[in-house]
Amino acid sequence: MLTALQGHPGHPPLTRPGAYLGWLIRRQAGVLTFAVVFAVLEAASLAAVPYLLGVALDQGLSEGMSRELLITVGWLLGLGLFGAITSALGHVGDTSSWLHGSFRTSRLVGHHVTRTGDAISDELPTGEVVSTVASDAFHIGNMMEIFPRLAGSVVAYLAVAVLVLQQSRTLGLVILIGLPVTAAVLSLLVKPLHVRQAKHREESGRLTTLGSDTVSGLRVLRGIGGEDAFAARYAQQSQQVRGAGVGVAATASVLQAMQVLLPGLFIAGVVWFGARLTLTGDITPGQLVAFYGYTAFLAMPLQAATQFMQMLTRARVGARKVIAVLSVPPMAGSIAESEASDDAAYPGDATRADDRPRPAPDLRDATSGVQIRPGRLTALVSPRPDESAELATRLGRFDDADGEVLYGGEPLTSLPLAQVRERIVVSAATPQLFTGTLRHELDARDRADEADLYQALEVADAHDVLSSMPDGLDGEITEKGRSLSGGQRQRVALARALLTEPETLVLVEPTSAVDAHTEARIADRLARHRAGRTTVVVTASPLVLEHADEVVFLDGGRERVRGRHRELLDRANAGDPDAAAYQWVVARQTGSPGETAASAASPETTAESVQEVH
């Protein structure tokens, strides 16, 4: 019954809360049908009990201990057993409905967040997104849980209506009209409850956002002595959440009290009126008992209806928040595109006659004019590191608005995003690690064997990470890799990127947090490991540039000069102003920019380059 929670959760309509909830109901129609069927059977068995009790009472009063009375008692016993079975199976259906409703919503949010990336944080506070999973999804699940009970109660209500009208039209009309009137009175409290619940949800979202922002910036707060100020803000917002919660509780408590008081008064009135009819001979004593049972039973549909209205109001508030998250468009492609698994041919999707993979097509960035030639290790150098990092981001198609990139002569935006992610992998400068074993952290695509894992660690020179864990590859990495040093986190991220085995690998400052000896080993091993495959490295480190097949120097966001590292240095010493500007940037990594720049190029050009850099 829970297999439907596997795979992709689907694509709901995002027009209004009602449309979203209706889509959820359709998606779990099988589970809801199961739950509704047994809810109807359970309610029908409970509704039949007053009728059989009335019949048994009249039989006993008129005939004493008779065969007919024993048969009726047997029916009552069988009905009790049937009711117990249907109640147990109905509970299974209710629980499954809750699981499908809540966890499908949670999975929708999870899928969407992973595909929109930074676009979510640009549009919504982090706490708002967290609350959709921690709170709103559960409220939606609660509505799905109560829905089968409501459906069963409605069917039972109609069945009882037929019975009471057949036995006494007068008393039946009193019951059938009086209960809806009582429900209408109770519904007047639903709207104020909805308003207060919405306010409480807003205040809770702000509190979650404030808490997550405070925790993420705790180290900075301690450094500037701002802990007390943020603690005071959190305490103030907590009080606002408490006040909103008290408002919800006050309205809900009045509603719950009225749920007991009004039906109780109505039952007392029905018993009084039925007793008068019994004294006048219009109904039998057994029918009086049956009508009392009907009245008590019909309070259950009333309670289910009011509970459903409460859950529905909370679910609508939650669905509105979920829609706000799901409506955030990704910066690259579309949600449907990012989830596609299109096997159509595209540039580079062919093999040579010897079955070896054909090198990836060339990449050409229209913004900078840079062409990344296939099968080479290309280094990007810039006096402004953000320029080269932005180029790396464009090559990975993280934002379609950044600029056009051609892949084998075709716009990168014309290719399915899933294929772009498979063929082009960008490893950012700040590594992101997650809780789990080292094995799972490294094998992001879940297809590497143990030999591949060890080889990637060897290339990234990360043996110290492996040896620091008692369980080796099965050792646990803590949240955000806090158990590792900055250099270790960077090398684990590098090994993870290598294991994706993409046609084009883009590495942004992959060795910035390691010492020179480690950097030299990594650069040499990386060049040998990726030989024949397209690799782009954003760096200004001479130790890495030495191993590059080609170096592209960017200045002002455009390609200024390219060549091998040694070749560019020789050209700088020969007076080439473009190569001299490159040498000045690279020399800053060795700590002697002034001396190198002064002897590298003509005075006028060098001075202009230095001034432009600063």
Side-chain angles (χ1 to χ4, degrees), residues 168-496:
S168 173
R169 186 178 300 274
T170 303
L171 191 55
L173 289 175
V174 170
I175 295 174
L176 297 179
I177 295 175
L179 280 172
V181 170
T182 305
V185 173
L186 291 174
S187 66
L188 297 177
L189 294 173
V190 172
K191 186 174 182 180
L193 180 63
H194 184 191
V195 173
R196 295 190 176 187
Q197 285 175 341
K199 181 180 179 182
H200 182 258
R201 171 62 180 79
E202 294 288 345
E203 298 295 344
S204 297
R206 293 191 185 100
L207 182 65
T208 304
T209 300
L210 183 59
S212 61
D213 290 346
T214 302
V215 171
S216 61
L218 190 58
R219 181 176 299 177
V220 178
L221 291 176
R222 286 175 176 169
I224 63 176
E227 290 177 275
D228 293 339
F230 271 80
R233 292 185 191 177
Y234 189 85
Q236 181 182 4
Q237 184 62 31
S238 297
Q239 291 303 311
Q240 293 180 0
V241 173
R242 182 191 65 81
V246 170
V248 173
T251 306
S253 63
V254 172
L255 180 60
Q256 291 175 1
M258 296 299 288
Q259 285 178 335
V260 176
L261 177 62
L262 292 182
L265 293 175
F266 181 72
I267 291 174
V270 168
V271 171
W272 175 81
F273 185 66
R276 291 181 61 86
L277 293 178
T278 303
L279 292 175
T280 59
D282 293 328
I283 61 174
T284 66
Q287 289 177 327
L288 174 61
V289 171
F291 275 107
Y292 170 79
Y294 294 147
T295 307
F297 169 78
L298 290 177
M300 294 175 57
L302 174 64
Q303 184 180 15
T306 54
Q307 285 182 345
F308 180 77
M309 291 303 298
Q310 292 181 52
M311 299 303 178
L312 179 61
T313 55
R314 292 180 178 178
R316 286 178 63 85
V317 172
R320 187 174 292 109
K321 299 298 182 181
V322 171
I323 288 174
V325 174
L326 299 181
S327 298
V328 176
M331 292 187 292
S334 64
I335 293 298
E337 180 186 359
S338 66
E339 292 159 356
S341 55
D342 193 347
D343 294 328
Y346 59 100
D349 191 28
T351 55
R352 296 173 176 171
D354 56 3
D355 292 331
R356 286 188 297 154
R358 177 176 293 177
D362 66 324
L363 280 166
R364 183 183 296 274
D365 177 51
T367 303
S368 62
V370 172
Q371 179 182 9
I372 305 299
R373 294 166 182 164
R376 297 188 179 188
L377 173 58
T378 303
L380 302 178
V381 181
S382 173
R384 302 172 186 84
D386 288 345
E387 288 180 352
S388 49
E390 288 170 1
L391 172 56
T393 301
R394 290 196 295 272
L395 295 178
R397 192 188 168 190
F398 289 108
D399 191 341
D400 288 344
D402 278 349
E404 184 178 59
V405 175
L406 299 180
Y407 187 57
E410 297 292 330
L412 198 61
T413 54
S414 68
L415 304 178
L417 192 60
Q419 294 181 359
V420 176
R421 295 286 178 263
E422 176 72 21
R423 299 294 180 132
I424 303 174
V425 171
V426 178
S427 181
T430 304
Q432 298 293 335
L433 302 183
F434 304 93
T435 304
T437 65
L438 178 60
R439 182 189 305 275
H440 291 148
E441 186 67 41
L442 292 171
D443 193 7
R445 290 181 171 170
D446 197 24
R447 62 191 184 195
D449 57 27
E450 196 156 295
D452 295 330
L453 297 176
Y454 283 119
Q455 183 183 25
L457 290 171
E458 170 72 18
V459 174
D461 199 47
H463 285 296
D464 59 320
V465 177
L466 190 63
S467 61
S468 67
M469 296 186 174
D471 297 325
L473 290 173
D474 295 318
E476 288 289 330
I477 293 181
T478 58
E479 181 185 4
K480 294 185 178 181
R482 290 194 176 99
S483 57
L484 306 176
S485 67
Q488 288 177 323
R489 286 196 295 270
Q490 191 173 63
R491 284 175 284 151
V492 168
L494 173 59
R496 180 178 60 188

